[in-house]
Amino acid sequence: MLMLPRFREASIKENYMPLIEVHVIENVFNSEQKSQMIKKLTDAMVSIEGENMRGVTWVKISESRERDWGIGGQSLTTEAVKDLAAGRKVA
């Protein structure tokens, strides 16, 4: 049996760390773009919660293989997402 410590509400608030999760299709964004996502999402959270939260704001980017995601009943491919981003019509 796993025993977890009990926390009072005040303790939970004192240990609060925002976590922003981003899910993307692999090979759509390069390393620089993912770094920009992390910076800008952190900046957005700090603009809401204050500068003191910058050091404890987590951003996690998870990549999924193409065709492991779908929308509207259709599997998404890396090329389809790139086409959407470029404003091209996707079949």
Side-chain angles (χ1 to χ4, degrees), residues 11-64:
S11 295
I12 293 171
K13 288 180 181 177
E14 290 169 9
N15 294 319
Y16 173 72
M17 294 189 294
L19 169 63
I20 303 166
E21 292 190 65
V22 180
H23 298 268
V24 297
I25 304 289
E26 68 182 354
N27 300 320
V28 172
F29 299 98
N30 62 37
S31 294
E32 176 59 31
Q33 291 170 314
K34 289 185 271 187
S35 291
Q36 288 177 17
M37 281 184 222
I38 291 168
K39 182 186 180 319
K40 289 181 179 188
L41 290 168
T42 300
D43 289 345
M45 184 61 74
V46 167
S47 74
I48 296 165
E49 295 193 320
E51 187 62 39
N52 290 336
M53 296 304 286
R54 184 174 300 280
V56 295
T57 298
W58 294 57
V59 179
K60 179 183 179 212
I61 299 175
S62 299
E63 292 185 293
S64 295

Side-chain angles (χ1 to χ4, degrees), residues 61-90:
I61 299 175
S62 299
E63 292 185 293
S64 295
R65 292 187 316 237
E66 65 179 348
R67 299 198 185 278
D68 281 356
W69 268 17
I71 185 168
Q74 301 295 315
S75 295
L76 287 175
T77 64
T78 300
E79 283 307 310
V81 174
K82 287 181 177 183
D83 286 343
L84 285 169
R88 293 186 291 266
K89 195 167 193 155
V90 177

